[in-house]
Amino acid sequence: MRSLTHYCGTLRAAGVAAAAALLLAACAPGGNSEAGPAPSKPVSTGIGSEPVTLKLLVTSGVDVPFYTALGKLFHAKHSNVTVKVESQDYAALTTTIARTLAGNNVPDLVRVPQLGNLTKDHLLISLDPYAQAYGWNEWPQSQFASTRVAADGRQRGTGSLYAAGAGFGLTGVYYNKALAQRIGMARPPATVAEFEQLLAKAKDARLQPIMINGKDGGSVYPLQNLVMSYAGDARAVQDWNYAKPGASIDTAATVKAATTLQRWGQAGYLPADVNDIDQTRAPAEFIKGNGVFFPSGNWQAPGLDKTGPGQFGFFLFPPGVAGGPSYAMTAVANLGIPAKSPNADVAAAFLDFVQTDQQARQETVTLGGLVPAGPSDAPAPTAPEGSAVAATVSAFQELLKGDGLVGFMADATASIHVNSLIPQTQLLLAGKTTPEAFAAKVQSDYERDLGR
């Protein structure tokens, strides 16, 4: 997407395309794998009439009001089911999730940013029986690729299904329209070099070029985009995400990306205290005008639209060369059913509901900022013309045309984000490691996580 024209009217294409999303990773339905258990009893699509409290454990922030709203919609349809939403911050959840699922107070649905060893250790059930019962196997299967796990419990993209979600996250670059006009941005940058020229103009105008949250991993977004832009394709990153044999991120493109990001920090394009800014403060600062650009995901769009309607735009991170492919990180807001869940059938009914109910799909766009998942003939949501939400969905359509959707490096293993990517990127921006050492260390941590 290299135009300032915003998507308008209904997002019918988005509803269809989201269900057919991640075309580059399409796969057929998998059978039961040995990586994790099937439900302990025959599955049912019935809810019953007995009172049920369905417990969800999600990440703090946008997830809480989003799933609370979906829970209320589900309760309106099934009055005997009360959805209780609890949350932990991203780092805590990814660090403690295995212990939580192995404990005695287990949720019925849990947000699973990374599957890690959760399937291998039998902490999540296989959703294959529910996919069969609800007809998910008849939907475009590419949307489930990232949560299928092979029998070895490591390689993703094939095998049994272990999680599903309401919609797709998408990353790119938000911009303050008024500030972008001040620095002469008539259209989104066509290359990384053009983007850097805009950053320099913003600095010369005494504006903060980029606002970003380095404390909890936001700086990993532009890093991964730079890796893919410099490589000219995303195959190496996607192979790494899916733990394919021999996959490596210790490449020339990664070193060049790390060099660029470090240079941006040294040039003052990033906030001086970037490593102290978290995912709550970053959008708040951006909304106040402290930042021309804000690399982040579509989950930020509803908040930006609510605070400053029509004031913020969005574009895909630019390629390395003019006319080159654009890429963005995307993943479903996945929920898995713990093996110890006492209400697995109700949990599966909730998963089906959020992907197929018209009002739930609308909330997925309006409140969650996500492009809805689900069947290709599902109801299409709407978004206001000129809104940040509409711009992110338009960007999603652009990516589908060029197979530009890629998984997050942060999701490659259960601990790679918290234990490697965040601290190593912080060291990079603080000048305490070199780009070469950065690439080598992340790769070695990855090999350690996979037990290679």
Side-chain angles (χ1 to χ4, degrees):
M1 176 182 173
R2 298 190 182 88
S3 169
L4 294 182
T5 303
H6 295 287
Y7 195 78
C8 62
T10 63
L11 304 182
R12 181 159 301 278
V16 173
L22 304 181
L23 300 180
L24 75 169
C27 65
N32 286 335
S33 85
E34 299 174 0
S40 58
K41 60 181 180 179
V43 304
S44 171
T45 59
I47 297 291
S49 58
E50 294 296 318
V52 175
T53 297
L54 190 70
K55 295 191 295 183
L56 272 64
L57 177 60
V58 300
T59 54
S60 56
V62 176
D63 267 6
V64 177
F66 174 48
Y67 285 108
T68 298
L70 293 182
K72 290 179 179 179
L73 291 176
F74 190 70
H75 175 72
K77 184 173 183 179
H78 303 284
S79 60
N80 63 311
V81 180
T82 299
V83 178
K84 181 181 179 182
V85 178
E86 298 177 343
S87 67
Q88 294 180 7
D89 68 69
Y90 183 92
L93 183 61
T94 56
T95 302
T96 64
I97 187 171
R99 184 162 63 250
T100 298
L101 299 189
N104 296 321
N105 185 22
V106 177
D108 297 299
L109 283 164
V110 62
R111 186 81 150 80
V112 282
Q114 304 102 8
L115 290 169
N117 290 327
L118 300 180
T119 59
K120 186 177 181 182
D121 294 340
H122 296 185
L123 295 174
L124 295 175
I125 64 169
S126 166
L127 299 182
D128 288 344
Y130 290 113
Q132 181 68 30
Y134 280 103
W136 300 346
N137 290 339
E138 304 305 315
W139 302 354
Q141 291 302 295
S142 51
Q143 64 188 300
F144 299 122
S146 65
T147 52
R148 290 194 179 277
V149 181
D152 61 7
R154 294 180 181 177
Q155 186 169 327
R156 294 190 295 146
T158 185
S160 282
L161 182 67
Y162 286 95
F168 293 89
L170 174 76
T171 61
V173 183
Y174 291 98
Y175 63 95
N176 182 307
K177 293 180 181 179
L179 297 183
Q181 187 175 21
R182 279 180 57 184
I183 63 172
M185 189 180 104
R187 56 169 175 77
T191 64
V192 173
E194 282 191 14
F195 186 42
E196 290 194 272
Q197 291 171 5
L198 291 172
L199 298 179
K201 289 181 179 179
K203 183 68 176 176
D204 290 343
R206 298 178 181 268
L207 299 172
Q208 176 60 55
I210 293 177
M211 176 50 59
I212 200 162
N213 50 301
K215 184 175 183 178
D216 44 21
S219 52
V220 177
Y221 297 161
L223 175 79
Q224 180 175 342
N225 271 122
L226 285 165
V227 172
M228 296 185 293
S229 293
Y230 287 145
D233 65 57
R235 287 174 294 180
V237 170
Q238 195 73 310
D239 287 350
W240 197 77
N241 289 338
Y242 284 176
K244 290 191 176 181
S248 177
I249 205 68
D250 187 3
T251 63
T254 301
V255 173
K256 186 175 181 180
T259 300
T260 296
L261 189 66
Q262 189 176 62
R263 185 177 70 248
W264 288 359
Q266 294 169 343
Y269 296 164
L270 307 180
D273 58 345
V274 59
N275 288 338
D276 293 323
I277 299 175
D278 64 16
Q279 61 183 326
T280 300
R281 181 182 161 197
E285 293 287 344
F286 180 65
I287 287 170
K288 291 189 297 185
N290 189 15
V292 180
F293 302 104
F294 176 35
S296 193
N298 54 354
W299 52 89
Q300 303 282 2
L304 295 176
D305 284 338
K306 182 178 180 180
T307 306
Q311 296 178 21
F312 303 103
F314 180 89
F315 59 84
L316 297 175
F317 197 90
V321 296
S326 291
Y327 297 102
M329 292 81 81
T330 185
V332 185
N334 287 308
L335 296 171
I337 302 178
K340 289 187 175 183
S341 166
N343 303 300
D345 287 345
V346 181
F350 181 83
L351 288 178
D352 184 72
F353 173 82
V354 299
Q355 296 178 91
T356 58
D357 179 81
Q358 182 173 2
Q359 195 170 355
R361 289 172 58 82
Q362 183 63 56
E363 291 288 6
T364 296
V365 171
T366 304
L367 187 59
L370 307 176
V371 180
S376 58
D377 60 352
T382 61
E385 181 178 359
S387 67
V389 168
T392 61
V393 176
S394 180
F396 193 91
Q397 303 309 306
E398 290 294 321
L399 286 168
L400 284 176
K401 296 175 184 177
D403 286 350
L405 300 167
V406 186
F408 289 81
M409 287 171 54
D411 295 343
T413 74
S415 63
I416 199 70
H417 188 58
V418 173
N419 293 339
S420 187
L421 284 170
I422 290 178
Q424 291 304 312
T425 304
Q426 289 175 341
L427 290 173
L428 184 74
L429 293 178
K432 295 181 178 179
T433 191
T434 65
E436 292 79 8
F438 169 87
K441 175 61 174 171
V442 172
Q443 179 63 25
S444 67
D445 289 343
Y446 171 81
E447 299 284 353
R448 176 206 62 207
D449 289 352
L450 295 177
R452 292 177 177 172

